[in-house]
């Protein structure tokens, strides 16, 4: 191949798209084959996971040079993981307990406990050897969830979106 010949899709570096569709917010990333984030998006779900996911995907696509990167696989997690997974042809659809365990142990291999505060529930996940072995979650009351905390922050005039978006 000479320098003047265009790259084919097979010669483009691999990238992987993942979307976490929660009841409060939808997050998306594209990572490269070295697991480095090359694009990211954070948007409020606002009760519309399909259109929010479309906006997240469009924003991610605008952050990469699509002529130089090939997205090979799509994965979804979160409360609307199956719906959005079907919509975008995801080959990986995982519940958030598995996603939390895999992601956290990648960054912190010795972790044993994960506390997660989501929009609809809060969870404690027990990890042993990088595998989620047990979990518990609230089911009766929304207090302590992301939706509750967001509502209270709003009442107090505290902006929560700016700190969450900068991560």
């Amino acid at each position: 191949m000479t320098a003047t010949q265009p790259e084919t899709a097979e010669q483009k570096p691999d990238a992987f798209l993942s979307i976490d569709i929660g009841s409060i917010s939808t997050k998306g990333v594209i990572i490269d084959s070295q697991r480095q984030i090359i694009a990211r998006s954070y948007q409020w779900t606002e009760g519309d996971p399909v259109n929010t996911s479309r906006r997240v995907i469009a924003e991610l696509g605008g952050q990469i040079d699509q002529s130089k990167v090939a997205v090979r696989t799509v994965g979804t997690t979160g409360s609307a993981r199956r719906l959005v997974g079907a919509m975008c042809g995801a080959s990986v659809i995982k519940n958030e307990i598995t996603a939390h365990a895999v992601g956290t142990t990648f960054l912190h291999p010795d972790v044993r406990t994960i506390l997660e505060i989501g929009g609809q529930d809060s969870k404690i996940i027990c990890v042993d050897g990088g595998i989620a072995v047990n979990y518990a979650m609230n089911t009766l009351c929304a207090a302590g969830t992301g939706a509750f905390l967001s509502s209270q922050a709003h009442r107090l005039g505290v902006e929560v979106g700016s700190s969450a978006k900068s991560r």
Side-chain angles (χ1 to χ4, degrees):
M1 174 178 184
T2 65
T4 58
Q5 290 177 319
E7 283 188 327
T8 64
E10 293 76 32
Q11 296 167 320
K12 294 178 187 178
D14 292 344
F16 309 91
L17 167 66
S18 181
I19 308 169
D20 176 5
I21 312 95
S23 59
I24 298 297
S25 62
T26 298
K27 293 75 63 184
V29 295
I30 298 177
I31 62 171
D32 63 18
S33 58
Q34 287 78 44
R35 298 181 176 179
Q36 298 299 307
I37 295 173
I38 58 176
R40 68 181 71 202
S41 176
Y42 180 101
Q43 297 193 24
W44 298 111
T45 305
E46 299 178 331
D48 189 357
V50 170
N51 285 318
T52 303
S53 296
R54 287 182 178 139
R55 287 193 310 271
V56 165
I57 292 167
E59 184 176 349
L60 293 170
Q63 293 177 30
I64 63 170
D65 184 344
Q66 295 181 38
S67 69
K68 296 183 179 178
V69 176
V71 174
R72 303 289 184 192
T73 303
V74 176
T76 59
T77 191
S79 58
R81 67 187 174 274
R82 289 185 186 96
L83 173 64
V84 174
M87 177 186 91
C88 61
S91 57
V92 178
I93 300 173
K94 296 290 182 183
N95 66 44
E96 54 269 23
I97 294 165
T98 302
H100 288 314
V102 171
T104 303
T105 57
F106 172 75
L107 295 171
H108 306 283
D110 295 331
V111 74
R112 296 184 52 205
T113 306
I114 301 167
L115 299 173
E116 187 261 341
I117 300 175
Q120 296 177 344
D121 55 44
S122 296
K123 299 175 192 68
I124 182 169
I125 305 166
C126 301
V127 179
D128 187 13
I131 297 175
V133 294
N134 201 356
Y135 75 94
M137 60 193 284
N138 67 325
T139 57
L140 299 177
C141 178
T145 67
F148 175 78
L149 297 174
S150 179
S151 295
Q152 298 312 308
H154 180 72
R155 281 185 55 231
L156 297 170
V158 175
E159 176 62 43
V160 294
S162 61
S163 62
K165 291 179 184 178
S166 65
R167 292 184 185 164

